[in-house]
Amino acid sequence: MDDTIASHLASSAERRLSTLSHHLTGHSASMASEIPNSALSPSATAGSYGGASSVFANILQAPDDSILGVTVAYNKDPSPVKVNLGVGAYRTEEGKPLVLNVVRKAEQLLVNNPSGVKEYLPITGLAEFNKLSAKLIFGSESPAIRENRVATVQGLSGTGSLRVGGEFLAKHYFERTIYIPQPTWGNHPKIFTLSGLAVKYYRYYDPATRGLNFHGLLEDLSSAPPGAIVLLHACAHNPTGVDPTLEQWEQIRQLMRSKGLLPFFDSAYQGFASGSLDVDAQSVRMFVADGGECLAAQSYAKNMGLYGERVGALSIVCKSSDVAGRVESQLKLVIRPMYSNPPIHGASIVATILKNSELYNEWTVELKMMADRIISMRRQLFDALSKRGTPGDWSHILKQIGMFTFTGLNSDQVAFMTKEFHIYMTSDGRISMAGLSSRTVPHLADAIHAAVARIN
Ligand code: KET
């Protein structure tokens, strides 16, 4: 191996290890203090082959994931009235997971296609899927696509696409700091830290108004170092449900471009916020229209209900097709040692739907139906709290956008609702409106009412 490559690999590996150990010590500090020192120091036999104790005996129990751990706890609860409002996953009015009709149709077509094979995909994934995904987010008329200056690779849903983008930037971009909103999806800081980037926060949410802290956001981005990466939720900000208006987006764009900040869009909810794929991509398209560069990670988990298929894409919009070609060549070097190449099934489903106008139209109808059901849950919950006279202003339930309501309930109130009412949600007070139905709204409203009355 070339010496410079070897030393680069060594230094980024060291950086990752040191951030990882920082993470682990941070998380386990309180647990370690409860364990006597003797239990942590190696005994005579620990680590020896054939000894009675495990070579892993000193490993500490890690905490459950703050979002996926809620489902684990929910599954263990035998109560017939339990409701899972933790993870952002769509449920029907009957509380059942939904496989879209259009997805079933696409799968039928794939199964019946005699030339369908299960060969390895290229490192960058299914080429047709990548093209269609770029068109979906940037728009079919996008000059960046026409000029062939977008590098798109298939990713393991949104998470995997963010991670590949993060590692690419840590390896090749001159500014290794990424600014993420405060608060943000709980996995963002971990993904980017372990990618080798330094994570900083910019102000985003104002608990007092339950709206955007636009002033704080502009101030923090203004003082970011030139070239810093900025993670932006394309729409339906998670967990707050608060998005900038188009005018505010325009101001953010101008500020970021004037300071040379690099936008990295996380688009996990395209179509889920407004019910329209184009409307929900406006923020991204605004940044591409100015001819500047940006990254975008897409997920098909929510908008096509393909959660477990792990289908997504990472696009890097460049200034020229020559640069885009070289960027793609380096993305391959990030992907190959990580998971070699992506899975074929989910991407084939998406490509089948996106390239066939009949299926595409059917998809948009089903997507709108999901978005509308979520919006109707907002109205029903708001009305149920109003009917109960629950103290406080609950109008944010109607105003917030996308899958989640950031209720403003604190962690003690959440714990009370879980214990007394078997309602499962993240401890920051976020509820997934998509997990709610007309049948469960009264139960949730009773729980919120009781929590607000009893606990401050
Ligand atoms: N970005 C955001 C903002 C996001 O909320 C999620 C998932 C993802 C990316 C990644 O999704 P993927 O399945 O990798 O395409 N959020 C929900 C699920 C989770 O936490 O994994 C959630 O917040 O409940």
Side-chain angles (χ1 to χ4, degrees):
M1 192 189 300
D2 173 305
D3 270 1
T4 46
I5 299 177
S7 72
H8 183 89
L9 283 178
S11 70
S12 59
E14 271 163 26
R15 206 169 41 240
R16 227 169 287 148
L17 275 179
S18 88
T19 40
L20 181 59
S21 77
H22 194 79
H23 245 322
L24 295 179
T25 40
H27 273 307
S28 54
S30 62
M31 290 196 179
S33 64
E34 289 161 21
I35 299 170
N37 263 350
S38 58
L40 293 173
S41 55
S43 68
T45 53
S48 67
Y49 294 100
S53 92
S54 164
V55 292
F56 303 117
N58 291 340
I59 287 183
L60 298 174
Q61 180 69 34
D64 264 334
D65 183 80
S66 60
I67 298 174
L68 301 184
V70 174
T71 303
V72 175
Y74 168 84
N75 287 337
K76 283 188 198 151
D77 185 341
S79 166
V81 299
K82 65 181 178 175
V83 189
N84 186 2
L85 306 176
V87 69
Y90 185 83
R91 297 285 177 269
T92 62
E93 257 296 295
E94 290 71 45
K96 298 264 170 359
L98 178 69
V99 179
L100 300 186
N101 270 328
V102 75
V103 166
R104 297 260 191 234
K105 279 190 191 170
E107 286 189 311
Q108 274 309 329
L109 290 172
L110 293 171
V111 167
N112 295 334
N113 177 4
S115 59
V117 290
K118 303 285 187 192
E119 286 289 291
Y120 290 130
L121 284 178
I123 297 171
T124 50
L126 193 65
E128 194 179 36
F129 164 87
N130 291 338
K131 280 213 181 72
L132 293 160
S133 294
K135 256 174 74 175
L136 185 70
I137 187 151
F138 302 123
S140 50
E141 302 303 315
S142 169
I145 296 177
R146 218 175 34 236
E147 290 154 17
N148 209 20
R149 52 186 176 83
V150 184
T152 305
V153 295
Q154 187 184 324
L156 303 184
S157 213
T159 307
S161 306
L162 290 165
R163 176 64 189 258
V164 168
E167 289 217 16
F168 168 81
L169 292 170
K171 259 177 132 179
H172 299 287
Y173 187 57
F174 70 94
E175 173 54 65
R176 296 215 175 88
T177 307
I178 186 164
Y179 283 72
I180 63 177
Q182 174 72 275
T184 191
W185 179 46
N187 217 9
H188 278 149
K190 298 171 198 166
I191 291 172
F192 293 120
T193 303
L194 291 172
S195 295
L197 296 171
V199 171
K200 288 201 171 141
Y201 287 89
Y202 62 89
R203 277 170 286 169
Y204 188 85
Y205 178 74
D206 182 357
T209 62
R210 294 200 171 117
L212 187 69
N213 182 353
F214 191 49
H215 180 74
L217 177 152
L218 292 179
E219 233 174 47
D220 289 349
L221 295 189
S222 298
S223 50
I229 310 153
V230 180
L231 190 278
L232 300 161
H233 293 228
C235 69
H237 181 273
N238 177 8
T240 67
V242 174
D243 285 349
T245 62
L246 280 184
E247 292 72 32
Q248 288 170 329
W249 271 119
E250 175 54 22
Q251 270 178 271
I252 296 169
R253 188 194 66 76
Q254 284 178 16
L255 171 68
M256 285 183 58
R257 290 310 192 199
S258 74
K259 291 214 56 183
L261 303 176
L262 182 64
F264 192 162
F265 283 98
D266 179 355
S267 177
Y269 298 95
Q270 190 182 355
F272 248 87
S274 68
S276 155
L277 289 156
D278 289 324
V279 169
D280 290 355
Q282 276 174 311
S283 57
V284 180
R285 291 179 191 175
M286 210 181 249
F287 278 77
V288 176
D290 67 15
E293 290 165 305
C294 72
L295 290 84
Q298 284 169 270
S299 166
Y300 290 98
K302 329 276 169 164
N303 59 13
M304 265 193 208
L306 292 174
Y307 307 90
E309 294 288 357
R310 313 307 294 146
V311 209
L314 171 74
S315 286
I316 305 189
V317 178
C318 308
K319 291 266 175 149
S320 70
S321 72
D322 172 50
V323 175
R326 282 182 278 134
V327 164
E328 188 189 298
S329 74
Q330 290 294 343
L331 286 171
K332 289 204 257 181
L333 297 194
V334 174
I335 294 167
R336 173 64 167 151
M338 202 191 278
Y339 53 87
S340 190
N341 49 73
I344 197 166
H345 186 67
S348 306
I349 297 172
V350 173
T352 303
I353 294 170
L354 295 184
K355 74 181 172 194
N356 175 313
S357 60
E358 207 175 297
L359 293 181
Y360 183 94
N361 290 336
E362 208 175 314
W363 173 44
T364 59
V365 172
E366 287 191 83
L367 181 56
K368 175 99 175 57
M369 182 207 70
M370 291 193 284
D372 285 349
R373 199 186 81 72
I374 295 170
I375 292 168
S376 94
M377 284 304 114
R378 292 188 179 282
R379 169 54 63 187
Q380 289 187 31
L381 179 60
F382 177 78
D383 288 348
L385 291 172
S386 306
K387 206 171 100 191
R388 283 161 181 76
T390 307
D393 175 4
W394 297 96
S395 59
H396 56 288
I397 296 177
L398 297 174
K399 283 187 221 138
Q400 291 172 354
I401 297 161
M403 228 171 187
F404 304 108
T405 290
F406 204 44
T407 58
L409 294 165
N410 63 38
S411 58
D412 290 338
Q413 291 167 327
V414 170
F416 168 84
M417 286 166 59
T418 306
K419 185 161 174 278
E420 303 296 329
F421 288 83
H422 306 274
I423 285 170
Y424 289 80
M425 54 195 278
T426 53
S427 61
D428 59 1
R430 183 190 88 167
I431 56 179
S432 171
M433 299 307 283
L436 209 52
S437 69
S438 307
R439 189 177 52 82
T440 51
V441 161
H443 183 57
L444 174 62
D446 287 343
I448 294 177
H449 190 84
V452 170
R454 304 232 193 121
I455 294 160
N456 282 318

